[in-house]
Amino acid sequence: TKKTLHMIEASAKWRAEKNYDSIVCEKCLCDPNRHFSEFVGWDLEHRPVMISAMGHAPDRSDPQESIVHSVQQFNNLVRHMPEGVTKWINITDFNSYSYWSDTNPKIANAVTGVMADHFPERLAKMILVDPPSAFWVFWKVFSPFIDQRTKDKVVFVYTESKPSIDDEFAKLFPPHL
């Protein structure tokens, strides 16, 4: 369709302008702990898995820096896809989440926008580990406005209550992951 063609053209232009296909997060080269999202292995369906733990990264304030780092990680996930695999799993660990330093809608909008516009339909599952109660309320308010296919990709799990992280992870991941 015209819309799909327009999206492909816009994404190709975006990738060429910033050389996003081979981008390297310079901040991570200087300090590998600057951000915390990385490839950790494959799930039971051989999809690459990335874990993100916002509270473990010292700098979570710059949307452009987050885009560069995320694009580097997304490209890395695509490179780790075996033949025939087109999607990845993202685990976001909220155990070290801080309302004060991790609540930046500009970063969330920037990263999800890049994923939607330039890595469409690559996300198989978004697993949220111990999200804060405010996040759950936000999800309940806004999820009716999100298409069902996207909502089905989001899974809430908890270390101390149900749905249990152990139960959900056993369905998706090999024991060593």
Side-chain angles (χ1 to χ4, degrees), residues 113-161:
V114 165
M115 190 182 297
D117 293 344
H118 307 293
F119 296 89
E121 294 303 316
R122 289 292 195 176
L123 182 67
K125 289 259 184 237
M126 169 66 83
I127 302 169
L128 307 174
V129 178
D130 290 329
S133 56
F135 194 86
W136 179 250
V137 171
F138 174 82
W139 178 254
K140 283 297 188 187
V141 169
F142 290 102
S143 66
F145 304 104
I146 299 171
D147 72 82
Q148 190 62 45
R149 188 172 64 201
T150 300
K151 284 194 291 193
D152 291 344
K153 294 177 183 183
V154 179
V155 179
F156 291 79
V157 297
Y158 302 90
T159 53
E160 303 294 326
S161 62

Side-chain angles (χ1 to χ4, degrees), residues 83-143:
E83 188 173 327
V85 173
T86 61
K87 297 180 183 287
W88 66 66
I89 304 284
N90 187 10
I91 302 168
T92 301
D93 181 359
F94 285 92
N95 280 312
S96 54
Y97 179 84
S98 164
Y99 283 106
W100 305 112
S101 59
D102 294 323
T103 305
N104 186 339
K106 290 180 182 177
I107 290 178
N109 288 337
V111 173
T112 56
V114 165
M115 190 182 297
D117 293 344
H118 307 293
F119 296 89
E121 294 303 316
R122 289 292 195 176
L123 182 67
K125 289 259 184 237
M126 169 66 83
I127 302 169
L128 307 174
V129 178
D130 290 329
S133 56
F135 194 86
W136 179 250
V137 171
F138 174 82
W139 178 254
K140 283 297 188 187
V141 169
F142 290 102
S143 66

Side-chain angles (χ1 to χ4, degrees), residues 12-60:
K13 181 179 177 185
W14 175 84
R15 289 175 176 280
E17 284 176 355
K18 302 278 186 173
N19 197 22
Y20 276 123
D21 285 333
S22 59
I23 199 161
V24 173
C25 179
E26 298 294 330
K27 304 285 186 173
C28 286
L29 291 177
C30 296
D31 177 6
N33 295 317
R34 181 145 184 118
H35 303 104
F36 194 81
S37 71
E38 61 184 292
F39 166 76
V40 293
W42 293 269
D43 75 345
L44 293 172
E45 295 181 33
H46 310 290
R47 297 173 295 199
V49 177
M50 177 173 73
I51 188 164
S52 303
M54 294 174 284
H56 291 289
D59 184 6
R60 303 178 296 282

Side-chain angles (χ1 to χ4, degrees), residues 2 7 63 70 146 173-174:
K2 281 186 174 182
M7 286 180 66
S70 296
I146 299 171
F173 305 118

